C-alpha cells in the first residue's frame, strides 16, 4: 500500500524548470489520488510548456519508484485556457520603459519607479535590457555582485538579485566593470532570451524592462518573445528628445506590434537647487512631455525635476525614492500611483497582450 503523504513528498522532487517550483506546490496539480498501488493526478500546463510532458512523466515515475518500485504512476495533462502564451506565465504585467534617445534618465526612471511600486506592496522585477550600457548594478548598489546559479531539471538557471524589494537581472552582473560589450544583433537577442527563459523569475505583479535607446534588435527580440502589457515613454522637455521618443513610441504603435502606451514621464523638467526647493529653473525649455503625450494620444503622468541628489543617489546605489529627505521622492511616488491607474485602466478595457509576430516579405 502506498502512503499518501510519502508519495506527495516524493513528487516534490519533480520541478518545473521554468519557475523552479515543484509540481505539488506550483498550483497546477489537480485530482490527486492514491489507490492501492496506483498514483494518479492531472497537471495543467501553460501553452508554452507542452515540452514538459515527457520530463514530468519520467521524473514523477522515477521519484515514486525510489520508494515504491512496483507503483503505477498515471499522469493526465491538460492545457491551460488563456489568451496569452507568455513564456513567463508567473508575471502578470510586462512594462517596457523606452525613450528613443540616450541620456534622458530612462534608467533613473525605471529603477525609481520599480522601487516605488514595490514600496506600494507590489511584487516587482526589473530587467536591464540595455546591454551596451547597463546601469542597474551601479544605480542599485550592486556593482561586483553575481547572480546565483541554480540547477533545475539539470539546466542551469540564474537567480535574480534582490535589492530594495525588487528582483533584478543585468548583463552588468555577468561582466567585469571595464569589460566592453561587443555583440552583433543575433547575440544581443540571445542574451535577452536568456534573461527571459534561463532566469528563475518569481511570481511578479509587474516586470519593468529598461530598454536601450533606439528601435533595434533588442526591442524587436523583446516584443517577439514577451507579450508587453504596455510601454512608458521617457523624455526631457527638449524638442530633440521629444522627436526621438516619438519615433520609439511609433514603433510600439505599429499595427503589427500594437503595444499600448501607458503614459509619458518628463525627466529634468526643471532645475531646483537643494537650498531653494521652491524655485524652478527651466534649463531645457518647457512642454516636451505634454507634446509627446499629445502626439501619442496618451497622457503625461508625471514630471521629475533636475535635482542634484537624484544623480548622486544613482551613483551611490541609493535611488532617490529610497531616501526620505530626497526632494524628488514625492515626484516618483506620484508617478508610480498614476502609472498604476493607467495600468488598471488598460487591463480593464483591453485584452491580454500577445507576442508579436513580425514577418518580412
Amino acid at each position: 500500500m502506498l502512503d499518501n503523504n510519502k508519495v506527495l513528498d516524493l513528487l516534490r522532487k519533480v520541478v518545473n524548470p521554468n519557475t523552479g517550483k515543484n509540481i505539488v506546490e506550483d498550483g497546477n496539480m489537480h485530482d490527486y489520488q492514491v489507490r492501492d498501488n496506483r498514483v494518479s493526478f492531472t497537471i495543467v500546463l501553460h501553452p508554452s510548456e507542452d515540452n514538459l510532458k515527457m520530463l514530468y512523466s519520467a521524473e514523477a515515475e522515477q521519484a515514486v519508484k525510489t520508494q515504491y518500485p512496483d507503483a503505477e504512476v498515471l499522469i493526465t495533462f491538460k492545457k491551460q485556457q488563456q489568451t496569452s502564451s507568455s513564456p513567463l506565465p508567473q508575471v502578470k504585467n510586462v512594462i517596457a520603459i523606452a525613450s528613443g534617445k540616450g541620456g534622458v534618465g530612462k534608467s533613473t526612471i525605471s529603477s525609481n519607479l520599480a522601487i516605488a511600486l514595490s514600496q506600494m506592496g507590489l511584487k516587482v522585477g526589473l530587467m536591464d535590457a540595455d546591454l551596451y550600457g547597463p546601469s542597474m548594478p551601479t544605480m542599485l548598489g550592486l556593482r561586483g555582485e553575481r547572480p546565483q546559479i541554480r540547477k533545475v531539471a539539470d539546466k542551469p538557471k540564474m537567480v535574480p538579485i534582490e535589492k530594495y524589494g525588487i528582483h533584478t537581472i543585468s548583463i552588468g552582473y555577468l561582466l567585469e566593470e571595464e569589460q566592453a560589450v561587443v555583440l552583433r544583433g543575433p547575440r544581443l537577442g540571445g542574451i535577452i532570451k536568456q534573461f527571459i527563459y534561463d532566469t528563475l523569475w518569481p511570481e511578479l505583479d509587474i516586470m519593468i524592462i529598461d530598454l536601450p535607446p533606439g528601435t533595434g534588435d533588442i526591442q524587436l527580440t523583446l516584443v517577439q518573445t514577451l507579450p508587453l502589457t504596455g510601454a512608458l515613454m521617457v523624455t526631457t522637455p527638449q524638442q530633440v528628445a521629444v522627436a526621438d521618443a516619438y519615433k520609439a513610441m511609433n514603433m510600439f504603435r505599429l499595427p503589427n506590434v500594437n503595444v499600448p502606451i501607458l503614459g509619458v514621464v518628463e525627466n529634468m523638467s526643471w532645475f531646483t537647487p537643494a537650498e531653494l526647493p521652491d524655485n524652478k529653473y527651466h534649463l531645457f525649455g518647457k512642454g516636451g512631455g505634454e507634446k509627446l503625450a499629445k502626439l501619442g494620444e496618451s497622457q503625461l503622468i508625471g514630471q521629475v525635476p533636475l535635482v542634484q541628489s537624484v544623480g548622486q543617489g544613482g551613483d551611490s546605489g541609493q535611488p532617490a525614492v529610497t531616501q526620505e529627505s530626497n526632494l524628488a521622492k514625492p515626484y516618483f511616488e506620484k508617478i508610480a500611483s498614476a502609472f498604476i491607474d493607467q495600468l488598471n485602466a488598460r487591463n480593464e478595457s483591453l485584452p491580454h497582450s500577445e507576442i508579436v509576430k513580425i514577418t518580412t516579405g
Side-chain angles (χ1 to χ4, degrees):
M1 291 288 291
L2 304 181
D3 183 287
N4 180 70
N5 292 328
K6 284 185 179 179
V7 171
L8 280 176
D9 285 339
L10 293 170
L11 290 173
R12 286 187 174 92
K13 298 178 182 178
V14 183
V15 175
N16 184 325
N18 297 324
T19 66
K21 291 186 176 182
N22 67 67
I23 62 172
V24 177
E25 297 169 352
D26 70 358
N28 293 322
M29 180 176 167
H30 305 279
D31 304 326
Y32 172 74
Q33 286 186 344
V34 172
R35 286 185 181 176
D36 299 326
N37 210 36
R38 175 181 293 181
V39 182
S40 63
F41 54 90
T42 298
I43 292 182
V44 179
L45 292 174
H46 186 270
S48 65
E49 296 178 329
D50 201 53
N51 61 323
L52 296 182
K53 289 180 180 179
M54 291 182 64
L55 174 72
Y56 282 160
S57 297
E59 292 198 355
E61 184 170 0
Q62 182 180 0
V64 173
K65 289 195 173 186
T66 57
Q67 293 290 323
Y68 301 102
D70 298 325
E72 185 180 2
V73 182
L74 300 177
I75 307 177
T76 302
F77 293 98
K78 289 184 179 179
K79 188 169 287 188
Q80 188 177 19
Q81 297 299 314
Q82 61 180 67
T83 56
S84 174
S85 56
S86 172
L88 298 177
Q90 73 275 30
V91 178
K92 294 179 183 176
N93 300 282
V94 182
I95 308 298
I97 309 290
S99 65
K101 181 178 177 60
V104 299
K106 177 173 40 57
S107 296
T108 297
I109 300 299
S110 296
S111 56
N112 280 280
L113 174 59
I115 296 169
L117 292 170
S118 176
Q119 291 173 346
M120 295 169 65
L122 297 168
K123 300 173 189 173
V124 183
L126 176 58
M127 182 193 297
D128 185 358
D130 192 348
L131 302 186
Y132 286 131
S135 304
M136 293 307 160
T138 298
M139 289 189 165
L140 298 175
L142 293 169
R143 293 167 65 181
E145 295 290 328
R146 296 289 185 264
Q148 293 182 1
I149 304 298
R150 185 182 302 166
K151 272 202 170 184
V152 179
D154 290 328
K155 289 185 63 178
K157 299 273 188 174
M158 292 184 290
V159 179
I161 300 177
E162 188 174 357
K163 185 75 177 284
Y164 299 121
I166 63 175
H167 302 267
T168 71
I169 199 71
S170 170
I171 197 173
Y173 300 150
L174 309 176
L175 304 174
E176 298 301 325
E177 285 191 53
E178 69 278 3
Q179 189 174 348
V181 179
V182 184
L183 297 170
R184 293 186 184 273
R187 186 65 185 122
L188 292 171
I191 292 173
I192 294 299
K193 289 182 179 179
Q194 282 186 290
F195 285 173
I196 295 169
Y197 290 102
D198 297 333
T199 303
L200 284 175
W201 293 103
E203 290 185 6
L204 298 174
D205 296 306
I206 297 171
M207 174 185 283
I208 287 177
I209 300 181
D210 180 26
L211 289 176
T215 53
D217 293 299
I218 291 175
Q219 285 83 350
L220 289 175
T221 297
L222 184 65
V223 299
Q224 290 179 285
T225 309
L226 273 179
L228 297 186
T229 309
L232 191 65
M233 308 305 302
V234 179
T235 186
T236 66
Q238 288 179 293
Q239 294 308 304
V240 64
V242 172
D244 285 346
Y246 185 46
K247 294 172 186 175
M249 180 187 283
N250 282 339
M251 180 199 74
F252 292 115
R253 299 173 73 207
L254 288 169
N256 60 336
V257 177
N258 195 29
V259 173
I261 305 299
L262 300 181
V264 172
V265 174
E266 184 186 82
N267 194 25
M268 308 179 202
S269 298
W270 59 83
F271 170 62
T272 294
E275 63 275 12
L276 298 170
D278 296 326
N279 287 27
K280 295 181 179 181
Y281 302 95
H282 296 272
L283 303 180
F284 303 117
K286 290 184 180 181
E290 290 181 352
K291 180 177 180 180
L292 180 61
K294 186 176 181 180
L295 287 170
E297 299 177 352
S298 182
Q299 61 180 283
L300 181 65
I301 67 169
Q303 296 172 291
V304 180
L306 180 61
V307 181
Q308 185 176 357
S309 57
V310 173
Q312 290 173 337
D315 288 342
S316 66
Q318 296 177 306
V321 78
T322 67
Q323 305 172 41
E324 290 299 326
S325 61
N326 196 297
L327 293 175
K329 178 178 171 69
Y331 294 97
F332 287 116
E333 292 174 333
K334 180 181 177 183
I335 289 168
S337 179
F339 167 77
I340 289 298
D341 289 341
Q342 288 292 98
L343 178 61
N344 289 338
R346 176 255 179 269
N347 287 338
E348 289 171 5
S349 61
L350 296 174
H352 291 290
S353 299
E354 296 290 338
I355 292 172
V356 174
K357 294 178 174 60
I358 298 176
T359 57
T360 57

